């Protein structure tokens, strides 16, 4: 994954970058699968490696395949903004509870015990996270899929309108 990330930052051919981004997402999905987060792996594979790649290739079909040169000052500003954003995100993680601490809010919530004890009997899925996302929170997941689908349709409509103006 690190090699793919470095290659994405170094390569100037946008088709290769789109393909490497898809590879990175697929490797992320495999990593989530190894970590027993099947639902996250499926989402990453379908959205990250699938839909995002299609959208990148569609955008690439409407633009040039080579990145235009960028001034050094603009590169430094972008690097500065990226560094500041990363620092802010790292600072925000300081307020998070330590991993695997038994006194965190997520471990104290009364629904936690209910889901762990009854989800296999109620839903029939051995993975509790999958049963929560696919069944107990099924309407949330359906809403998220609707938002992603609507965004995809809007992008296709915008790209089609741009093509007609040419």
């Amino acid at each position: 994954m690190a090699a793919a990330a470095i290659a994405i930052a170094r390569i100037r051919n946008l088709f290769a970058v789109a393909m490497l981004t898809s590879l990175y997402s697929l490797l992320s999905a495999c990593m989530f699968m190894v970590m027993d987060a099947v639902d996250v792996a499926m989402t990453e594979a379908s959205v990250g490696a699938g839909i995002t790649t299609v959208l990148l290739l569609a955008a690439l079909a409407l633009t040039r395949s080579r990145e235009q040169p960028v001034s050094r000052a603009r590169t430094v500003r972008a690097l500065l903004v990226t560094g500041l954003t990363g620092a802010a995100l790292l600072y925000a993680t300081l307020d998070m509870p330590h991993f695997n601490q038994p006194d965190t809010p997520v471990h104290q919530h009364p629904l936690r015990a209910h889901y762990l004890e009854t989800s296999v009997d109620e839903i029939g899925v051995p993975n509790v996270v999958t049963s929560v996302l696919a069944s107990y929170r099924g309407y949330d997941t359906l809403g998220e899929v609707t938002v992603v689908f609507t965004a995809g349709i809007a992008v296709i409509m915008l790209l089609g309108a741009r093509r007609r103006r040419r």
Side-chain angles (χ1 to χ4, degrees):
M1 289 179 63
I6 291 170
I8 289 169
R10 305 273 312 163
I11 292 176
R12 296 293 172 234
N13 184 315
L14 296 179
F15 178 76
V17 169
M19 292 295 101
L20 284 171
T21 303
S22 177
L23 175 67
Y24 185 87
S25 292
L26 192 61
L27 291 173
S28 295
C30 292
M31 181 189 70
F32 289 130
M33 191 74 171
V34 169
M35 295 171 66
D36 283 337
V38 179
D39 54 322
V40 179
M42 289 172 50
T43 302
E44 181 63 31
S46 63
V47 174
I51 293 172
T52 302
T53 302
V54 170
L55 289 176
L56 285 174
L57 292 176
L60 192 58
L62 298 173
T63 60
R64 298 181 186 149
S65 64
R66 298 285 303 174
E67 183 179 346
Q68 289 185 351
V70 179
S71 69
R72 180 172 284 282
R74 189 172 177 181
T75 303
V76 169
R77 281 193 306 257
L79 191 60
L80 184 64
V81 168
T82 303
L84 288 173
T85 304
L89 290 173
L90 284 175
Y91 179 73
T93 62
L94 297 177
D95 280 344
M96 292 178 62
H98 295 287
F99 183 71
N100 211 14
Q101 290 289 321
D103 59 342
T104 60
V106 71
H107 289 107
Q108 301 296 321
H109 199 279
L111 280 176
R112 174 189 165 268
H114 172 76
Y115 288 148
L116 289 176
E117 293 169 5
T118 62
S119 69
V120 174
D121 295 331
E122 288 180 355
I123 309 299
V125 176
N127 187 322
V128 176
V129 175
T130 301
S131 68
V132 168
L133 290 177
S135 185
Y136 294 118
R137 294 187 55 213
Y139 288 117
D140 288 348
T141 305
L142 180 64
E144 293 164 359
V145 169
T146 303
V147 167
V148 170
F149 181 74
T150 305
I153 295 295
V155 168
I156 290 171
M157 290 174 65
L158 288 172
L159 292 176
R162 182 176 174 204
R163 182 175 281 175
R164 274 184 253 133
R165 275 190 248 144
R166 286 184 178 178

